[in-house]
């Protein structure tokens, strides 16, 4: 049994799960200044509280997928982990800061009944929700595109090496998908004006994102694609268009499922394009990291596989239970007056 291949696929699955789940709460946070704007200050505050309450039970659990993906990479492919984190040190540091500041916004926004206080924490949520998916997209696209690794598989580039056109486009696509996914989630989880506005905005965001995604996936496919990656590219394109159509027809559930499939298919395209490498080099005399030269010992991978078989179903069942428990729609009529916490 090829345990390295199994864990390569599992890491891809973890990234897909992260973007599908964290993607919509990134989108909700980033859309606060647009969909959170009401007819008065009081109405705006209620709308924003509704939006944040839709992701309140989920956002911290969604981030566990990122931590698990990082931990699995460290254990299964230590060479990949070491090279990736040294190459992307500054972007990953900025990503970490963005997530921390965003999470502080969720926790501290309601601690004081003061408009200025809430507005400042709203900016933290909005900024973190935009910067984080943008950087995730840039990083993942760089991994697939390749970075300058020398003969010892050491990164020899700099920050500007990572800010290439393809990777920046990848960042915009992940951000656009997050915004669209978030709008469809809000349409699914709310009632009244927020639902209507989210549905209208989701169509516009979806069409813009579809254009960017087609350019990115065609670019990637024509330069590095395989037969299987072209299949998942087609699935991603069809599911996004189907999601937009479902949204127009006011089928919010199918629209949300469509963008979820789009995210998962896009990640599958990335990993199928990447295989059998885990981090290719762009240098003629460099050495790429592959499943063979970057993986841990077979015994380590066997132990990890047993642990995954035991604990993964538990995590999935708990996650499904939380989404089922908080499945009902919310509206501004559910929001009481803000209360100061001292």
């Amino acid at each position: 049994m090829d345990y390295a291949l199994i864990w390569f696929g599992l890491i891809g699955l973890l990234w897909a799960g992260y973007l599908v789940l964290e993607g919509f709460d990134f989108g909700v946070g980033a859309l606060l200044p647009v969909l959170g704007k009401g007819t008065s200050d009081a109405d705006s505050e209620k709308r924003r509280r509704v939006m944040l309450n839709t992701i309140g039970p989920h956002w911290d659990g969604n981030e566990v997928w990122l931590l698990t993906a990082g931990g699995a990479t460290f254990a299964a492919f230590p060479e990949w982990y070491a090279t990736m984190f040294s190459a992307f040190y500054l972007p990953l540091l900025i990503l970490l800061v963005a997530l921390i500041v965003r999470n502080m916004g969720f926790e501290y926004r309601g601690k004081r009944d003061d408009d200025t206080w809430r507005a400042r924490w709203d900016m933290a949520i909005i900024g973190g929700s935009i910067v984080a998916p943008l950087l995730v997209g840039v990083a993942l696209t760089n991994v697939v595109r390749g970075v300058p690794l020398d003969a010892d598989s050491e990164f020899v580039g700099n920050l500007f090496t990572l800010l290439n056109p393809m990777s920046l486009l990848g960042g915009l696509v992940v951000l656009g998908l997050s915004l669209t996914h978030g709008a469809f989630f809000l349409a699914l989880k709310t009632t009244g004006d927020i639902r209507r506005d989210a549905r209208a905005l989701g169509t516009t965001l979806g069409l813009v994102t579809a254009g960017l995604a087609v350019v990115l996936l065609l670019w990637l496919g024509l330069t590095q694609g395989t037969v299987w990656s072209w299949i998942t590219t087609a699935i991603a394109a069809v599911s996004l268009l189907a999601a937009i159509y479902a949204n127009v027809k006011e089928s919010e559930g199918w629209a949300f499922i469509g963008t979820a499939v789009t995210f998962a298919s896009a990640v599958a395209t990335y990993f199928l394009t990447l295989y059998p490498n885990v981090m290719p080099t762009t240098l003629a005399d460099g050495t790429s990291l592959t499943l063979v030269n970057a993986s841990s010992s077979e015994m380590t991978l066997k132990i990890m596989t047993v642990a995954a078989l035991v604990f993964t179903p538990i995590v999935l069942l708990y996650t499904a239970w939380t989404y089922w428990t908080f499945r009902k729609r919310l509206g501004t009529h559910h929001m009481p007056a803000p209360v100061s916490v001292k």
Side-chain angles (χ1 to χ4, degrees):
M1 184 178 294
D2 191 343
Y3 289 101
L5 179 59
I6 290 173
W7 275 97
F8 179 75
L10 288 175
I11 290 170
L13 184 62
L14 288 169
W15 275 108
Y18 174 67
L19 288 174
V20 168
L21 297 177
E22 186 87 307
F24 72 75
D25 71 52
F26 280 148
V28 172
L31 292 173
L32 273 181
V34 182
L35 296 177
K37 188 174 182 179
T39 56
S40 65
D41 290 344
D43 185 45
S44 295
E45 173 57 17
K46 283 191 173 185
R47 287 174 67 110
R48 292 189 177 207
R49 290 173 66 194
V50 168
M51 293 173 66
L52 294 176
N53 281 349
T54 62
I55 60 174
H58 310 302
W59 64 264
D60 49 354
N62 293 342
E63 290 187 351
V64 172
W65 289 78
L66 176 63
L67 298 175
T68 308
T73 305
F74 172 76
F77 300 97
E79 294 291 336
W80 183 14
Y81 179 92
T83 301
M84 181 168 60
F85 273 71
S86 62
F88 301 160
Y89 182 82
L90 184 55
L92 290 175
L93 176 62
I94 297 172
L95 171 62
L96 180 61
V97 172
L99 290 174
I100 291 172
V101 170
R102 174 176 178 268
N103 295 351
M104 289 176 65
F106 289 138
E107 295 292 344
Y108 284 96
R109 184 184 189 276
K111 297 297 185 183
R112 185 180 298 174
D113 186 11
D114 180 78
D115 290 339
T116 302
W117 171 270
R118 287 191 289 265
R120 288 172 178 171
W121 286 117
D122 283 348
M123 292 302 298
I125 295 171
I126 295 163
S129 298
I130 293 173
V131 171
L134 184 66
L135 289 177
V136 168
V138 169
L140 287 178
T141 307
N142 267 305
V143 169
V144 179
R145 172 186 175 273
V147 293
L149 303 178
D150 63 16
D152 297 320
S153 298
E154 297 289 338
F155 180 69
V156 292
N158 54 48
L159 176 62
F160 296 103
T161 306
L162 306 177
L163 301 179
N164 54 79
M166 179 183 283
S167 297
L168 291 173
L169 178 58
L172 291 175
V173 168
V174 172
L175 175 59
L177 276 175
S178 296
L179 293 171
T180 307
H181 201 35
F184 291 167
F185 179 77
L186 283 172
L188 176 64
K189 288 289 293 179
T190 60
T191 60
D193 291 344
I194 302 177
R195 179 185 181 187
R196 184 196 64 237
D197 295 345
R199 202 163 51 222
L201 182 60
T203 299
T204 302
L205 290 170
L207 291 172
V208 173
T209 301
L212 294 174
V214 166
V215 173
L216 173 65
L217 294 177
L218 285 178
W219 189 353
L220 194 62
L222 291 172
T223 54
Q224 300 170 243
T226 65
V227 173
W228 287 107
S229 70
W230 277 110
I231 292 174
T232 52
T233 294
I235 294 173
V238 170
S239 58
L240 181 54
L241 293 176
I244 297 170
Y245 177 78
N247 182 64
V248 171
K249 293 297 183 178
E250 301 184 8
S251 299
E252 294 100 341
W254 286 111
F256 180 73
I257 290 173
T259 46
V261 173
T262 301
F263 254 136
S265 301
V267 173
T269 299
Y270 269 35
F271 274 73
L272 288 169
T273 302
L274 184 59
Y275 178 82
N277 297 313
V278 293
M279 184 169 280
T281 181
T282 56
L283 301 179
D285 57 348
T287 301
S288 297
L289 290 173
T290 68
L291 268 67
V292 175
N293 64 16
S295 65
S296 295
S297 67
E298 185 175 357
M299 178 59 70
T300 299
L301 296 176
K302 281 183 178 180
I303 294 171
M304 290 176 61
T305 303
V306 172
L309 289 173
V310 173
F311 291 106
T312 300
I314 297 174
V315 173
L316 292 177
L317 286 172
Y318 175 76
T319 301
W321 176 78
T322 60
Y323 279 89
W324 175 256
T325 300
F326 296 100
R327 66 189 181 278
K328 294 187 180 298
R329 293 180 183 268
L330 294 175
T332 54
H333 61 283
H334 292 122
M335 296 298 108
V339 177
S340 177
V341 179
K342 298 182 180 179

